[in-house]
Amino acid sequence: MPAFVTPAIIVAAIIVVVIVILIISSYVKAPPDKAYIISGLRKNPKILIGRAGLKMPFFERKDELIVKQISIDIKTDGYVPTADFIGVNIDAVAKVRVMSDGEGVKIAMKNFLNMKEQQIADSLVDSLQGNMREIIGTITLKDLCNDRKKFGDEVQMKAQEDMKRLGIEIISCNVQHVTDEKDLINALGQDNMAKIQKDASIAKAQADRDVAIAQAQAQKEANDAKVLADTEIAVKLNELSIKKAELKTVEDTKKAEADAAYEIQKEAQRKTIEVTKTNADIARQEKEVDLKRKEAEVKEQALDAEVKKKAEAEKFAKQQSADAELYQRQRNAEAEKFELEKQAEARKIQAEADLFAKQQEAEGIRKVGEAEAAAIAAKGLAEAEALEKKAEAMKKYGQAAILEMIVKALPEMASAIAEPLSTIDKVTIIDSGNGDTGVSSMGSYVPSVLAKTIESVKETTGIDIKDIIKADTYDAKVNKNINVTGLENVQSVNVTTGDIVEKAEGAPEAPEAPVQ
C-alpha cells in the first residue's frame, strides 16, 4: 500500500462507496402507466407517476398502482326488461382508469394497490353491470337501437358516481351488441327494409311509367311529323306532276300534229309517274304498318310490366296483412289469457265471500231456530200451566163450573138451531082450521129442536142436562132427592126471581135457573 493512502482515506472511500450503493439501490423511476407509492418514513406517502424518486432501503417500501386505461367487458348475463317490458341482453365495453389528481390516487390506492389489471376489472364489473341494468329499465327498445351512444352516456353518467368513490374515472362506455328475447330487433329491421323496398319499387314503377309515357309521346310526335312531311312531299310531287302534265300537254298538243313519236314518250312518262306514285304509296303504308306494330309491342310491354308490378304489390300487401293478423292474434290470445286469470281470481274471491255469507246466514238461522224453540217451549209451558190452572179450577168448583158451561152453551145451541131460519127470504103461513096458526108453529121451532137436542145428548152420553140444571131446585132436593156435588156453596134459589144468593165470598156465580 502506498504511503500516502491512510486509513482515514480508506474509511472515507468505503463510506462513499456505501453511500453510492445506497443511492443506486434506493433510486426508483415510475413509468407513465404506473404509480409508485413510497411509504414508511412520511406521514403521507410519496406518489411517483412517470418520474424518479428515492426509497430508503429497509425504512420505506414501494407499492404499485396501475393508472393506465383498462377495458372492462360489461354483460347483462341474461335478459333484462326495458321500459316497454321487452327483455334484452346487452354486451358493452367500458374504458376506465385511476383518477389523475392526487386525491383520486389516494382513494384508488386504498382499494386497488398492487392489483393486476384483470383483478381491478373483476372488482369493478359488478357495479358497472348493476348501473347498466338500471338504465335498461328506463329506456325503450326502439330508443336503445336508434341511439346507442345516448344509452352508453347514461350508463357512464350513472356509474361515475359509484366509481368516483373508488377513485376510478370512466373514460367511455360503448354498446357492442344488443339482442332481445323475442327477436323483435330483427323484426323491426325487416319492417323498415320492407318499407324501403316498397318505396323503391313504387319509385321505380313511377319512373318506368314516366319513361314509357315520354317515349310514346316522342314516338307519336315523330310519327306525326313524318306523316305530315310525307303528305307535304306527296302534295308537292302531285302538284309538280300536274304542272308537268299541263306543260307537257301543251307541248304535246303543239307537237301532236307534227311528231307522232311524242305520244309514245308521253305514255311512257305517264307510266313512270304512276309507278313512282304507287311505289310511294306502298312504302308509306308499310311504314305505317311497321309503326303501328311497334306501338302495339310497346303497349304490350308496358301493360305486362304494370300487371307484374301490381301483382307483386298485392302479394306484398297480403303478406304484410297476414303477419299483422298473426301478431294481433298472439296479442289477443295473451290478453284473453290474462283476462281469464283475472276472472278466475274474481270468482275465487266471490266464492269465498259467498261461503262466508252462507256461514253467517246459517249461524243466524240457527240462532233464530233456537229463539223460536225457546219461544215455543215457553208458550207450551204457559199453555200447560193455564190448562193445569183450569183443571184445578174445574176440580175446585165441580158441578157449578159444569153448570156454568152448560148454561153458556145453551144460547149458542139455540143460535145454531135458528140459523137456518135466517136464510129464509119469504114465509107464507096457511091456517089449517084446527085452531093452530102457522105463527105458533114457527115460534115453537127453536125450543122444540133444542129440547130434542138435549134428549139426544142424554141418550148418547148419559148426561142429563135438565137434571143438572134442576139439581138445586126444591123439588129435586125434597121430592126427588137429587144431590149434585160441587154446589155446596149455593145457599138458596129464589124460585120467583131466579136470583142466586152466594153463601161465601169468592164462590162462582151460578147460572140463572128456570122458574118452576
Side-chain angles (χ1 to χ4, degrees):
M1 179 180 296
F4 61 88
V5 180
T6 61
I9 295 175
I10 295 173
V11 172
I14 293 173
I15 293 174
V16 170
V17 171
V18 170
I19 291 173
V20 170
I21 293 173
L22 289 175
I23 292 173
I24 293 173
S25 62
S26 63
Y27 178 80
V28 293
K29 184 177 182 180
D33 60 346
K34 285 186 181 181
Y36 286 169
I37 313 300
I38 308 300
S39 61
L41 295 178
R42 300 176 180 86
K43 181 178 181 181
N44 295 322
K46 181 191 295 185
I47 301 174
L48 301 177
I49 302 176
R51 61 191 181 92
L54 296 177
K55 177 184 75 69
M56 295 297 294
F58 309 109
F59 297 100
E60 292 182 332
R61 60 172 293 171
K62 181 191 73 173
D63 296 298
E64 296 181 0
L65 177 64
I66 298 176
V67 296
K68 69 177 182 178
Q69 176 181 295
I70 300 175
S71 296
I72 302 176
D73 190 11
I74 311 172
K75 296 182 179 179
T76 55
D77 293 335
Y79 292 101
V80 179
T82 61
D84 47 359
F85 305 103
I86 299 174
V88 295
N89 189 1
I90 298 178
D91 185 6
V93 174
K95 303 290 186 180
V96 301
R97 67 183 176 188
V98 174
M99 291 182 177
S100 58
D101 59 342
E103 189 65 27
V105 174
K106 290 179 181 179
I107 297 174
M109 69 183 184
K110 295 178 181 180
N111 298 291
F112 310 109
L113 197 64
N114 297 323
M115 280 190 179
K116 301 294 184 182
E117 181 177 346
Q118 186 60 39
Q119 292 176 334
I120 297 175
D122 293 341
S123 62
L124 297 177
V125 69
D126 294 338
S127 179
L128 293 173
Q129 283 181 349
N131 287 281
M132 186 170 69
R133 286 173 174 267
E134 292 180 7
I135 298 301
I136 291 174
T138 62
I139 192 171
T140 62
L141 178 62
K142 187 175 181 180
D143 294 338
L144 177 61
C145 295
N146 292 336
D147 196 352
R148 295 187 179 185
K149 184 179 183 303
K150 178 182 178 182
F151 173 76
D153 293 342
E154 290 182 358
V155 174
Q156 179 178 350
M157 186 182 303
K158 177 69 177 176
Q160 185 61 61
E161 297 178 2
D162 296 336
M163 296 295 104
K164 187 177 180 180
R165 301 187 184 95
L166 300 175
I168 298 297
E169 176 187 3
I170 301 178
I171 301 173
S172 64
C173 181
N174 298 316
V175 178
Q176 301 295 321
H177 188 61
V178 179
T179 58
D180 65 284
E181 190 174 5
K182 301 296 183 180
D183 201 19
L184 295 178
I185 296 176
N186 293 332
L188 292 174
Q190 292 176 359
D191 186 27
N192 293 332
M193 185 183 300
K195 290 181 180 178
I196 294 172
Q197 290 178 350
K198 178 182 177 182
D199 295 339
S201 300
I202 293 173
K204 186 177 183 300
Q206 292 176 351
D208 293 341
R209 180 196 63 188
D210 295 339
V211 170
I213 292 173
Q215 289 178 351
Q217 186 68 26
Q219 290 177 357
K220 179 179 180 300
E221 292 176 356
N223 183 56
D224 292 341
K226 185 177 183 300
V227 171
L228 182 61
D230 292 342
T231 302
E232 291 180 355
I233 292 171
V235 170
K236 294 296 183 182
L237 289 174
N238 190 24
E239 292 177 353
L240 179 61
S241 299
I242 294 171
K243 189 65 176 178
K244 286 181 178 181
E246 291 177 352
L247 294 173
K248 192 66 176 176
T249 301
V250 174
E251 184 181 0
D252 291 343
T253 301
K254 291 181 179 180
K255 293 181 180 181
E257 297 176 356
D259 193 2
Y262 178 74
E263 287 293 335
I264 298 171
Q265 184 65 31
K266 181 181 178 181
E267 292 295 331
Q269 185 68 29
R270 186 176 62 81
K271 180 179 179 181
T272 302
I273 293 172
E274 291 179 354
V275 170
T276 303
K277 184 179 179 181
T278 302
N279 291 334
D281 293 337
I282 292 172
R284 180 174 58 80
Q285 292 178 358
E286 289 178 352
K287 292 292 184 181
E288 290 179 354
V289 170
D290 186 39
L291 179 60
K292 290 182 179 180
R293 180 178 59 81
K294 291 183 178 180
E295 289 179 353
E297 291 178 355
V298 170
K299 290 182 179 180
E300 182 180 0
Q301 292 176 357
L303 181 61
D304 187 20
E306 182 178 0
V307 170
K308 287 183 178 180
K309 295 297 182 180
K310 185 177 181 181
E312 291 176 356
E314 291 178 353
K315 178 180 178 182
F316 179 78
K318 290 180 179 179
Q319 183 176 0
Q320 293 296 317
S321 177
D323 295 340
E325 183 178 358
L326 176 60
Y327 179 75
Q328 186 63 34
R329 287 180 180 176
Q330 293 176 352
R331 294 303 297 262
N332 291 339
E334 293 175 357
E336 183 176 359
K337 178 181 177 182
F338 178 78
E339 186 65 24
L340 291 175
E341 292 176 353
K342 292 298 183 181
Q343 291 179 1
E345 293 178 359
R347 285 196 294 269
K348 180 180 178 181
I349 295 172
Q350 184 63 34
E352 293 176 353
D354 292 341
L355 176 61
F356 180 77
K358 292 295 184 182
Q359 291 176 351
Q360 296 297 320
E361 183 179 359
E363 182 66 18
I365 292 173
R366 184 182 66 80
K367 291 183 178 180
V368 170
E370 292 177 356
E372 289 179 352
I376 292 172
K379 183 179 179 182
L381 182 60
E383 290 177 353
E385 290 177 357
L387 291 174
E388 184 178 0
K389 296 294 184 180
K390 187 175 181 180
E392 290 176 0
M394 292 288 289
K395 181 178 179 182
K396 180 178 180 181
Y397 296 110
Q399 189 66 28
I402 296 172
L403 182 60
E404 181 183 1
M405 288 189 294
I406 292 173
V407 172
K408 288 182 178 180
L410 287 177
E412 296 178 358
M413 294 172 64
S415 176
I417 294 169
E419 184 177 1
L421 296 177
S422 64
T423 60
I424 300 173
D425 185 23
K426 183 179 180 182
V427 177
T428 302
I429 302 175
I430 301 173
D431 192 358
S432 61
N434 56 3
D436 294 332
T437 64
V439 176
S440 62
S441 298
M442 288 291 294
S444 63
Y445 170 75
V446 174
S448 176
V449 174
L450 182 59
K452 291 181 180 180
T453 301
I454 293 172
E455 291 295 333
S456 298
V457 172
K458 178 180 179 182
E459 293 176 359
T460 304
T461 62
I463 299 173
D464 191 353
I465 297 175
K466 292 189 293 182
D467 289 344
I468 295 172
I469 295 173
K470 295 178 180 180
D472 197 37
T473 62
Y474 176 81
D475 183 65
K477 290 183 177 181
V478 176
N479 298 329
K480 296 182 180 181
N481 194 20
I482 298 174
N483 295 318
V484 180
T485 60
L487 299 177
E488 293 80 7
N489 295 330
V490 180
Q491 184 179 10
S492 62
V493 177
N494 192 331
V495 177
T496 303
T497 61
D499 296 332
I500 300 175
V501 181
E502 295 182 1
K503 179 179 180 180
E505 185 179 358
E509 184 179 2
E512 182 179 354
V515 179
Q516 296 293 330

